[in-house]
C-alpha cells in the first residue's frame, strides 16, 4: 500500500517546537520535537512498556519522558532511564526516524534508516530566488486514499468540470493530453494554443488578448507533485520554443502524505515569476488556490466513498493513461520493497 523508502512531509516546520507534536504517517504514530539546539527529533510515539503515546509525556532536556511510569528516551530512541530498575532492559527502546527541514517543511524518512539520503528530498526550483514570489502554503486532511490524489494531479482534464470558475477555459475540454513517463514519475501535459485565459490567471497576465497555455501535471514517486501553469501571448507558445519575457509562470508544489489507507494530509505552496514582494498578490493567490483545492476535496472524498462501495466495476478512459502508468510503477516499487524485507527476514 505504501512505499516506505521515501521522504514524506510530516508537517510545517513552524508547527514543531519545544513541545511534543504527534503525527500519523503511513499508519505509524510518530512524535516530533526540537532539541535544545533547535534540531528536530522524530520518535515512535509509543512507550515500549504499555504503549502509552510518548506525546502524552514531557520533554526533559533533549529526552522524552513517558507520562505513565517515567521511562525516558533520547533522540536516538535509546532508553536512558527506567525508574526503580537496577538496569535498563535491552528491548527498552523506540524507533528513531531520520528527519530533515527543507522549504519550510519537516520531512521524515519512513523506511530503512541506512538508505535515508537528504539529497533525495523533492527539489523545489527557484526556492529562495528573490525574483520569484511565494504564497506560503497551507494544509488540509482529505478523507481519501492518497492514490486518488495522485490520480487527480495527473489529470489536467478534470479542471474543465471541477474548477470552472478558476482554472478552466474552453480549451481544457477537448485538447488532447500527452503523457511522458520518467524514471522518477509521470508527466501529463498539453499546450492549448490561441485560447482564452482562465479566470484565476487572467488578472495577473502581463499581456492582453488570447494566450498559449501549457498545463504541466507531474507526480513523482511516491506522492509529490509539481503543477506548472504557463501563459504566453498567443502565437508565442508551444513545445521547444523560447518564451517571451512577459510569460506568466506559476509552479504549484503539492505533497501528499498518507495518514492511513483512508486519509491523506495535503501540503502545498505556489511560486510565481512576478510580484515577489507583493503580499496582496500572495493573499489573492492563497485564497483562490485554497478554494480550488476545497473543490477537489469534495470530489475526491466522494470518489473514495463511491469506489469503496461500488456495485459495478469502474471505467478507465484514454485520459487515465498517466494515472494508470504511475500506479503501475509505484505498485512495482512497493512490491519490490516487500520482497526485499521478506528475504532479509529469512
Amino acid at each position: 500500500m505504501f512505499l516506505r523508502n521515501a521522504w514524506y512531509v510530516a508537517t510545517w516546520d513552524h508547527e514543531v517546537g519545544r513541545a511534543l507534536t504527534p503525527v500519523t504517517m503511513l499508519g505509524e504514530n510518530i512524535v516530533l520535537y526540537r532539541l535544545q539546539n533547535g534540531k528536530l527529533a522524530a520518535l515512535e510515539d509509543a512507550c515500549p512498556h504499555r504503549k502509552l503515546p510518548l506525546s502524552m509525556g514531557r520533554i526533559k532536556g533533549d529526552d522524552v519522558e513517558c507520562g505513565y511510569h517515567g521511562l525516558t528516551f533520547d533522540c536516538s530512541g535509546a532508553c536512558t532511564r527506567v525508574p526503580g530498575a537496577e538496569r535498563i532492559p535491552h528491548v527498552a527502546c523506540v524507533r528513531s526516524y531520520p528527519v530533515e527541514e527543507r522549504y519550510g517543511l519537516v520531512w521524515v524518512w519512513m523506511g530503512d534508516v541506512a538508505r535515508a539520503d537528504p539529497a533525495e528530498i523533492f527539489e523545489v526550483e527557484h526556492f529562495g530566488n528573490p525574483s520569484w514570489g511565494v504564497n506560503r502554503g497551507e494544509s488540509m486532511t482529505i478523507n481519501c486514499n492518497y492514490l486518488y490524489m495522485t490520480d487527480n494531479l495527473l489529470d489536467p482534464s478534470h479542471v474543465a468540470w471541477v474548477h470552472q470558475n478558476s482554472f478552466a477555459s474552453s480549451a481544457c475540454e477537448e485538447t488532447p493530453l500527452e503523457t511522458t513517463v520518467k524514471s522518477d514519475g509521470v508527466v501529463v501535459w498539453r499546450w492549448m494554443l490561441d485560447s482564452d485565459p482562465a479566470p484565476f490567471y487572467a488578472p495577473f497576465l502581463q499581456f492582453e488578448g488570447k494566450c498559449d497555455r501549457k498545463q504541466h501535471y507531474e507526480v513523482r514517486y511516491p506522492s509529490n507533485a509539481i503543477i506548472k501553469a504557463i501563459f504566453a501571448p498567443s502565437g508565442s507558445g508551444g513545445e521547444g520554443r523560447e518564451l517571451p519575457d512577459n510569460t506568466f509562470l506559476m509552479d504549484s508544489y503539492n505533497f501528499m502524505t498518507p495518514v492511513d489507507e483512508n486519509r491523506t494530509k495535503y501540503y502545498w505552496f505556489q511560486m510565481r515569476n512576478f510580484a515577489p514582494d507583493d503580499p496582496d498578490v500572495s493573499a489573492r493567490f492563497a485564497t483562490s488556490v485554497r478554494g480550488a483545492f476545497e473543490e477537489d476535496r469534495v470530489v475526491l472524498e466522494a470518489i473514495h466513498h463511491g469506489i469503496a462501495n461500488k456495485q459495478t466495476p469502474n471505467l478507465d478512459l484514454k485520459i487515465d493513461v498517466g494515472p494508470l502508468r504511475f500506479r503501475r510503477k509505484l505498485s512495482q516499487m512497493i512490491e519490490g520493497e516487500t520482497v526485499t524485507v521478506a528475504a532479509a527476514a529469512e
Side-chain angles (χ1 to χ4, degrees):
M1 177 56 69
F2 307 123
L3 188 72
R4 295 193 175 271
N5 284 317
W7 292 97
Y8 290 88
V9 173
T11 189
W12 294 101
D13 61 2
H14 66 266
E15 294 179 336
V16 184
R18 290 287 289 168
L20 297 171
T21 304
V23 297
T24 302
M25 305 168 62
L26 283 61
E28 298 183 18
N29 295 321
I30 299 171
V31 59
L32 303 168
Y33 68 101
R34 289 190 185 275
L35 307 179
Q36 295 175 95
N37 63 8
K39 292 185 177 180
L40 288 166
L43 298 176
E44 175 187 355
D45 193 13
C47 177
H49 175 221
R50 289 293 183 264
K51 302 303 181 182
L52 184 77
L54 289 177
S55 57
M56 295 178 66
R58 57 197 62 83
I59 295 176
K60 290 293 188 71
D62 282 341
D63 296 349
V64 178
E65 181 186 80
C66 177
Y68 196 20
H69 291 98
L71 277 73
T72 305
F73 304 88
D74 66 18
C75 63
S76 74
C79 185
T80 59
R81 180 172 183 251
V82 179
E86 294 181 0
R87 62 181 181 83
I88 297 174
H90 72 278
V91 293
C93 60
V94 295
R95 179 180 175 185
S96 175
Y97 296 78
V99 58
E100 296 285 339
E101 291 184 78
R102 195 79 55 88
Y103 318 123
L105 295 162
V106 175
W107 299 78
V108 173
W109 179 266
M110 298 298 294
D112 180 358
V113 173
R115 294 186 55 182
D117 181 359
E120 294 183 10
I121 293 175
F122 192 100
E123 182 180 358
V124 176
E125 188 180 9
H126 304 301
F127 196 88
N129 185 332
S131 64
W132 280 67
V134 181
N135 59 289
R136 288 297 174 183
E138 297 186 60
S139 64
M140 65 170 67
T141 298
I142 301 182
N143 295 317
C144 77
N145 185 279
Y146 74 105
L147 291 175
Y148 299 135
M149 297 186 67
T150 60
D151 287 349
N152 190 63
L153 290 171
L154 283 170
D155 175 24
S157 63
H158 84 274
V159 168
W161 291 275
V162 178
H163 307 303
Q164 293 186 348
N165 296 318
S166 54
F167 299 151
S169 68
S170 58
C172 292
E173 295 188 16
E174 300 295 343
T175 305
L177 299 170
E178 302 287 343
T179 300
T180 303
V181 178
K182 303 167 62 179
S183 61
D184 61 352
V186 174
V187 184
V188 178
W189 59 277
R190 61 183 171 187
W191 274 99
M192 296 173 289
L193 304 178
D194 195 33
S195 61
D196 293 321
F200 169 79
Y201 300 105
F204 304 105
L205 301 186
Q206 299 178 39
F207 57 86
E208 301 291 335
K210 292 184 177 292
C211 67
D212 293 338
R213 173 186 182 184
K214 184 180 183 181
Q215 288 179 305
H216 174 110
Y217 279 44
E218 178 176 356
V219 183
R220 300 179 192 166
Y221 308 114
S223 52
N224 299 316
I226 175 172
I227 310 302
K228 296 185 178 184
I230 302 175
F231 289 82
S234 180
S236 65
E239 200 64 10
R241 299 187 66 177
E242 184 174 349
L243 300 175
D245 292 340
N246 60 349
T247 297
F248 170 103
L249 303 175
M250 187 184 82
D251 296 343
S252 178
Y253 290 92
N254 306 261
F255 308 103
M256 288 75 67
T257 299
V259 176
D260 51 34
E261 294 185 10
N262 301 307
R263 294 175 296 156
T264 305
K265 196 66 181 288
Y266 187 20
Y267 302 87
W268 70 85
F269 62 85
Q270 284 76 38
M271 301 189 65
R272 59 185 186 272
N273 69 335
F274 65 96
D277 301 313
D278 191 327
D280 179 63
V281 171
S282 293
R284 290 163 65 189
F285 263 66
T287 298
S288 296
V289 169
R290 176 84 192 198
F293 289 174
E294 290 288 358
E295 293 171 338
D296 282 321
R297 184 220 293 264
V298 171
V299 170
L300 291 168
E301 291 184 349
I303 287 171
H304 180 94
H305 178 79
I307 292 181
N309 297 279
K310 65 183 179 184
Q311 303 298 309
T312 58
N314 51 290
L315 171 68
D316 291 325
L317 302 173
K318 184 178 179 180
I319 58 174
D320 299 314
V321 170
L324 291 174
R325 295 289 294 273
F326 181 88
R327 280 179 176 251
R328 186 179 307 127
K329 176 61 176 178
L330 181 59
S331 179
Q332 292 170 353
M333 295 169 71
I334 294 171
E335 183 179 354
E337 278 190 351
T338 304
V339 170
T340 300
V341 171
E346 292 179 354

